[in-house]
Amino acid sequence: MEQYRTEEEQVEALRRWWDENGRSTLVAIVLVLAGTFAWQGWQRYDAQRTASASDLYQQMLEAAALAQEGAATAAPVSQLATQLRRDFAGTSYAQFAALHQARVAVIAGDLEAAEADLRWVLGKADGGSETALVAQLRLARVVAAQGNVEQALALLAPEAMGKHQAAAAMARGDVLAGAGRAEEALAAYREAQALVQTYPAQLNLETLAAKLQSLAAATAGDDA
Amino acid sequence: MLQDIRKTTQGTAAKVVIGLIVISFALFGIESILLGGGGGAVAEVNGEAVTPMELQQAVDTQRRQLIAMMGDNLDPAMLDDQRISAQALEGIVSRKLLMQSARDMGLTVSEAELGAVIAGMEQFQLDGNFSPEMYKSLLASAGFTPASFKSALRDDLILGQVRAGLAGSDFATPAELALTARVVAEQRDVRYLTLPLAPYLDAVEVSEEDLEAFYRENEASFMTPESVVLDYVELTLDDFREPVEEAAIEEEYRIQLDSYQYQTENRVSHILLQRGSDESEADFAARIATVQDELAAGKSFADVAAERSDDVGSAGNGGDLGFSAGDAFPPEMEEAVAALEVDTVSAPVETDAGTHILMVTERRDSEAPSLAELRPELEAGLQEREARVALLLAVEELRDIAFTADSLRAPAQELGLEVLRTEPMTREQRDGPLAEPSVLRAAFSEDVLELGHNSEVLELGGDRFVAVHVHEHNKPTLEPLDAVREEIARSITRERAREALESAAAEAVAELTTGEQSIEALAARENVEWQVELGAQRDSRVLPPAVLQRAFSLPAPGDDKPVADYVIDASGDARVVQLVRVQAGALASLDAEQQRGLRQRIGSEFGALLQVEHEQGLRAAADISVL
């Protein structure tokens, strides 16, 4: 390190350093500040946008609750959902909205519209994410309801359904039972029930139990 | 060293570093740098800490819920801290996992929404309106600050958004509806008859050889339980209660009087007059006189206060200043207040604030309770205090003597106690004076049971202390045949009757399925009633549960192939069940309400299953460490 003998020398050294590096130091500071403020601004903007999407989504949920009670039609749900998908396409709220639209469509009997909604979600959601898996499971069920059994079974293949093995098996059972393939359906239901029994959470799946009992009784009759 | 620092801080690199530090402080504020990562977490979930405070709050909440739910039936063991804390930690971990996943989805709740939800919560409302005081006091009593409550509520709402978005958007396709309706609304015509067990029980005869054979084969189940008869000495608080001296009670009474304040409280109103900066002394005196004149003329104190008082805070409500116990106002004022009768007006009183005209509107006297009133309470308290000291001294003494003595006789003599004796007690003893886990543990310990020592002095509930000594140890022995004869006879009878009943039922089923006999003919032969239920559904409440269960697990009958089976129900009787007809359910046969219910059931079963699997998946993929 250099040593300065007097204060004047020290000040002189500083001034020299400033003449050489002052401009670039200033530019660096300005750039860092601008970057920081831009980043903060963008974050604020993003937070605000998410908050607006959240508010809109809450409105849609309230409309959906009214529709479910039968106190209103599903039209406002669809309208709010469409708005969410258009104005906030990149958010999870848009995907949830599309899932609700699919539900409305299924209830109205419009399976094609439901299929389109679910495919839209599959296209938007990250592969393997919870939302994607949920959409895939429902897509398979809608496709099966349209009569495409093989396509549905392919969507529900164990390797495609990640952590939702029991739900997939239960849906496979429904698809197969609907196609009249009782033995395979029974196997799928049994698989679902066996999986659920290994889960620590208590689940009361009455319908699954009834379908299992009914199929078991029917197939036992065929054997006799 | 300081020299070194001085040197190095003059280098260019050091200046740059210092500059960066300055900038980071300027931009981020000091607290985010100094107070980052607080230590002392109890667990970590994917790197997110669970703080001891968080856990404590969850434990408190859970304990409050348990108490509220169970009331007096609550088993104190359920409030055990460790047990609750393990459950509470589980809950926190689940919630953190769900929150992390929700954050990854980029979900949020706006301040406005949060505010609206809080304002709409009934708990915080008084007469239908949001009350900030109620809000703060309720939060405080539940251990929340407004900030921590808001953050917890925000998390709740976000988790609700995920649930509503994923599980809540489930549906039932037409194919699923039809399929499920076929099963759920299926109807079965069922006939059944009951073969009672009782006659078969009566018919069984058990010979002496049978009894002996059974006794020999099942010796292990006829052992008497191991038991001990205990000698014990007992010290209780009541043994040490002595009459209390009068002087001590009086002394205690004096202490009580000193420690509590029995004082008179006055509710005071005033009219304050302050001399203005440009007001002459005469004018001011005239103003005081006016007030006094108006009051003397009978104008109400409140009106005069409203018109004339310079204390804007109290002028509006009659000059009221609230209650004072003699220490709220300046001494000059308190003196005047104490001398004033209720509802009379004082002469002007000067304080630093100005000139006051005072009125006492209410006087609350709280007199000290008399010795006679307090005596029972004081006496009991003193007595207990002294008795407890004596008890603990005696316990110490017993501890010393019992430890060295080889029976309880010596310690009992020394302390003037009686050696008592229990009935035989097993390891699982539930009743009797010493049926406490700690006593049984001690009594069956090696030291006391095998080596014959006195036990330690054990503290039981209710200020009882005991030491025990094993008087008699009854090892398990085989009970004599005569003692268990009846029990054996019952077992054999039950077993044989059941076998006979089952073979009769199986025979009846065979006759039904081959078509040899109708259920009517069978019932007539067995001399029992038979029943029929047409169109029974899976949730029928008419058929006995065992019959229903069996009827719905039988295959549908073919044309010439009657289907029947039997089942032994909970009371031991046999039900012979014939399935006559199966009618698959149809969606169209359900009314609108039922269809809606079915739709919801299918959707919510998928929804619930997805939710459980989602949480499980998060847990499986998570990095959870309990510290």
Side-chain angles (χ1 to χ4, degrees), chain B residues 14-37:
Chain B
K15 285 183 179 132
V16 169
V17 169
I18 291 172
L20 284 178
I21 293 176
V22 168
I23 289 175
S24 69
F25 272 108
L27 289 180
F28 299 105
I30 195 163
E31 72 280 2
S32 67
I33 294 165
L34 294 183
L35 306 177

Side-chain angles (χ1 to χ4, degrees), chain B residues 260-268 321-338 364:
Chain B
Y260 289 92
Q261 291 184 336
Y262 300 105
Q263 281 154 328
T264 304
E265 289 184 311
N266 291 304
R267 183 172 194 156
V268 180
L321 293 172
F323 281 100
S324 166
D327 47 8
F329 308 126
E332 304 88 348
M333 216 167 132
E334 290 289 359
E335 220 168 282
V337 165
R364 283 201 296 228

Side-chain angles (χ1 to χ4, degrees), chain B residues 135-145:
Chain B
Y135 174 62
K136 289 216 182 87
S137 77
L138 268 178
L139 288 196
S141 70
F144 282 103
T145 64

Side-chain angles (χ1 to χ4, degrees), chain B residues 218-239:
Chain B
N218 297 288
E219 273 182 2
S221 53
F222 298 122
M223 302 298 279
T224 57
E226 181 184 22
S227 68
V228 287
V229 175
L230 298 179
D231 284 342
Y232 67 102
V233 291
E234 185 176 42
L235 292 168
T236 70
L237 190 61
D238 290 340
D239 297 341

